Structure formats: C-alpha cells, structure tokens
Amino acid sequence: MTTIPAFDYLEQYRAIEDEFLDAAKRVFESGRLILGSEVTGFEQRLSDFLGAPAHAVGVASGTDALVIALRAVGVSTGDQVITAANTAVATVSAIREVGARPRLCDADPETALMDVEGLAELLDDRVKAIVPVHLYGSVVDVPGLVAQIGGRSIAVVEDCAQALGSTLHGRSVGLLGNAGAFSFYPTKNLGAFGDGGACLSVDRELTERMRVLRSHGMGADGDVVADGVCSRLDELQAALLTVKLRHLVRHLERRREIASRYDRLLGAGVKRLRATPGASPAPHLYVVRVRDRDRVKAMLAERGIETGIHYARPIHHMTAYEDLGYPRGSFPHAERLAREVLSLPLYPELGDDAVKRVCEAVNEIVGSEPPG
Ligand SMILES: *Cc1c(COP(=O)(O)O)cnc(C)c1O
C-alpha cells in the first residue's frame, strides 16, 4: 500500500526540473542575488496574474508581508487590530511584531471564516485595522466587512497566505481591502523552495510605501524615509517562483478539480464547509469537520493516508497569547472547529485514484454512505 502524503512537492519538481535548474543557473551566473531583475520580473508577473494596478512587493515571508502591510497602513505600538481566533499563528505574531494588540473574533461555523456580522460590536476608536484571513483558500466577505466599518478610519489588510488565485465577484483577494499579504511557503498555492512572500495594494502610493519599508525604509536616493525592516525576496526564489507562475493556472485548476471530486465522493455524513456567495476559491486545503477527529486521523494514517489539522488550537489557547485576556470558551465556534477540522490531502499532483481512496476511507471510518 503506497502512502498518500498530506503534501508533496517532489513530483512537481521532477516534472519541470529542467525549468527550475535553468532558472537557478541563470541567477547564479547573473552576478546579482538581491533585488535584481528576477525579483522585479516576478513582481510584475504576479501583479498581472492578480490584476493589481501596481507591481507587488516581494518580501522574505508571508509573515513579513503582513508586518509590512500593517506598518504601511499606519498600524503601530498600542493600536488594536482585529483578526480571527482561528488562524495561523503568523497572522497574530505579525500583529504583535508591529507592537499592536490583537483582538480576536469568532468564526462563522458554516464557513470557518471570520464572522463579519459579529464584528460590529468590536469596532471602536482604538481599532486601527482589521485582518480578515482567507482561510483554506475561501474568501472572507470583505465588501461586507467594509460596510460594517462604515465611515470609521480602519484599514483592511487581507491575509491572503492561503488564497492566491481566489476571487470574489471576479476580483482577486488582496485587492478587496486596503492591502494584501501573500505567502510562498512551500505548501501554499504558489510555493517557493524556501520562504517568500509578497504584499500589494490597489493603491499605488501604499504599494510604494511597502516597497520602501521592505528594505530599511530607504528611498531611491539612499535617504531613509521611514523605519523599515530588512525583508526581501531573493533572486533565486523569485526565479523559481517565476517558473511556477508559468504553471500556476494549470495547478490551480487541478486544485479545483480535486476539491470538486472530494465534494462529489464524500458521503453526506461528512461535514463540509460552505463558500462565501460570489467567491471563486482557489482551494489551498480541503477541510472537513468530523467528530472524534484525532481517532479519524489515526485510522486514516493506519491506511496510509496522511492528513493535516489547521489548526488544532485557536489563538487564545496558545500560551504566549494568554495575556490577550480571552479565557477558554470565549470563541465557541473557533474552539469547536479546532476540535473537528481535518485537512485531506490536496496538491496538484494528487491523482484521481488517490482522491477516491481517501474518500472511501473517510466514508467508511465516519460511517457515511457515499452519495447515490
Ligand atoms: C502561511 C501563513 C502565513 C504566513 O506565511 P509564512 O510565509 O509562513 O510567513 C500567514 N497567515 C496564514 C493564514 C498562513 O497560512
């Protein structure tokens, strides 16, 4: 019995190995390793793909992309930033890194996304920004969120780390609010061979501020005009990402195909998440909700099926975030999701037979009849 891994980049690497090696050789022989033409070229192609008006800003990680975007919209020490209780730690560590205080909100149990309706009661004068997280490739209703903000001066910085390729009413994530942050962590929809990230905005001026911030706040003439950071995408990762960008449409199409196969082949007793109306998700993770999740995960592992959990602990259950002052029970939906979510294997090279094998195993373990 062959094992079905939760994630595997090797098959994809082998399929287009020559392109990667050519790109790497080009960088090695170029004489330039930081902020050269590979980064500029990638930034431009990424923006073209997303439909962004200004070139994206390549940075060292998705976490840094969030940090830089938050700083660019003016978040600093003592400000408050609202985000989801059920997100990757990176969302919250980025908020803390800029000196702001994260305020959490519960999830909508149907979508697992930030409960936009429930936000209203959290909005006050101390809130400087909101970070909606497009979890699993699903899309938060950002226009709905902006409507909740009303006339208040609160920026929206989208965490798009898991949602590259996702759109809402045809518009890419990251361009729905004031700024967006993407991650090229290897497992993500566009994964590098190491760390990488990008931030962008619909606002050209804001994009240029982010570009300055990523390299010590230094302007074109060498003067330092803001307190920046040192966080640059390097030439090698940019060249490798440019190769992957050429195959991205096909890879995202395959992700969608796998997700719809799961939709079809999983039994009615296996609880799925709902998408936001108007959204066209580029699925990053295929997440189901099961009771007795850890047992289901172990039984799948016995059958050679690796799965993931995103995430086993909501943010307020993390030791370092106890000082946020949210006792257990504060976010019942996020807490329940943490107990029930299970991520089934999803990556472009996953074959139809493997998807079928996963569905049969899940249906059997959960005791659910496959759809007629
Ligand atoms: C991966 C991820 C990040 C951070 O990206 P890195 O590139 O690992 O720093 C941020 N937010 C979410 C939701 C993520 O999944």
Side-chain angles (χ1 to χ4, degrees):
M1 181 183 65
T2 54
T3 297
I4 301 174
F7 168 71
D8 176 20
Y9 76 85
L10 273 174
E11 199 174 322
Q12 185 177 106
Y13 168 72
R14 290 192 188 107
I16 43 180
E17 182 177 16
D18 291 349
E19 292 182 55
F20 289 129
L21 296 182
D22 284 350
K25 192 161 187 289
R26 193 173 68 231
V27 173
F28 292 141
E29 291 177 349
S30 73
R32 175 119 194 197
L33 300 173
I34 297 287
L35 295 187
S37 59
E38 295 291 343
V39 170
T40 312
F42 171 71
E43 290 174 339
Q44 180 187 336
R45 287 183 192 97
L46 178 68
S47 295
D48 289 348
F49 174 79
L50 297 171
H55 294 177
V57 180
V59 299
S61 71
T63 309
D64 281 355
L66 281 167
V67 167
I68 291 166
L70 285 166
R71 284 208 194 192
V73 301
V75 176
S76 67
T77 313
D79 290 334
Q80 299 197 350
V81 176
I82 296 173
T83 194
N86 60 320
T87 182
V89 168
T91 316
V92 175
S93 72
I95 294 169
R96 295 264 270 210
E97 200 173 319
V98 299
R101 179 189 144 86
R103 284 178 67 191
L104 305 179
C105 77
D106 207 356
D108 174 330
E110 299 297 318
T111 61
L113 299 170
M114 166 185 274
D115 175 15
V116 170
E117 304 276 297
L119 264 182
E121 60 196 59
L122 294 177
L123 300 180
D124 58 42
D125 291 346
R126 293 164 304 170
V127 176
K128 187 84 183 199
I130 300 176
V131 181
V133 182
H134 301 301
L135 203 63
Y136 312 145
S138 285
V139 185
V140 176
D141 175 17
V142 175
L145 190 154
V146 170
Q148 296 274 0
I149 291 173
R152 295 182 189 82
S153 165
I154 297 175
V156 177
V157 174
E158 301 170 64
D159 183 338
C160 309
Q162 300 189 3
L164 193 144
S166 299
T167 60
L168 183 69
H169 302 298
R171 183 188 276 259
S172 170
V173 293
L175 302 172
L176 302 165
N178 298 97
F182 292 84
S183 164
F184 307 127
Y185 184 80
T187 60
K188 303 283 162 84
N189 285 2
L190 179 65
F193 289 79
D195 279 314
C199 37
L200 48 72
S201 171
V202 280
D203 178 343
R204 283 170 186 277
E205 208 179 304
L206 194 57
T207 309
E208 285 323 301
R209 203 176 308 156
M210 295 193 276
R211 203 177 307 284
V212 166
L213 286 174
R214 79 164 160 197
S215 198
H216 310 293
M218 194 178 283
D221 64 354
D223 186 21
V224 172
V225 296
D227 286 320
V229 297
C230 175
S231 178
R232 302 170 293 231
L233 184 67
D234 63 69
E235 287 283 283
L236 185 58
Q237 293 302 339
L240 299 170
L241 284 165
T242 299
V243 172
K244 298 248 297 214
L245 209 44
R246 289 204 285 265
H247 300 271
L248 184 64
V249 169
R250 179 168 61 83
H251 288 156
L252 293 180
E253 192 43 50
R254 179 62 191 155
R255 282 180 176 274
R256 289 195 176 95
E257 222 171 81
I258 292 168
S260 68
R261 281 191 95 77
Y262 276 131
D263 284 342
R264 281 201 310 279
L265 298 178
L266 287 170
V270 184
K271 216 167 156 195
R272 269 49 82 72
L273 297 170
R274 216 167 37 76
T276 301
S280 172
H284 170 56
L285 297 167
Y286 193 92
V287 173
V288 295
R289 297 181 65 166
V290 290
R291 250 178 288 134
D292 217 354
R293 189 261 326 278
D294 295 340
R295 184 186 64 96
V296 174
K297 186 179 198 325
M299 289 178 76
L300 286 167
E302 271 169 30
R303 291 167 201 217
I305 297 166
E306 287 178 10
T307 52
I309 300 174
H310 301 88
Y311 297 93
R313 282 168 199 255
I315 294 300
H316 61 297
H317 289 189
M318 301 281 184
T319 304
Y321 300 139
E322 276 167 10
D323 63 345
L324 296 180
Y326 297 111
R328 283 173 191 252
S330 297
F331 306 107
H333 296 306
E335 290 170 29
R336 182 154 176 207
L337 282 161
R339 289 193 300 272
E340 297 185 350
V341 288
L342 184 68
S343 311
L344 304 181
L346 175 57
Y347 45 92
E349 291 68 35
L350 189 70
D352 288 351
D353 289 349
V355 175
K356 186 155 171 271
R357 207 176 110 199
V358 174
C359 291
E360 283 168 358
V362 171
N363 288 342
E364 194 187 313
I365 293 166
V366 176
S368 178
E369 289 299 314

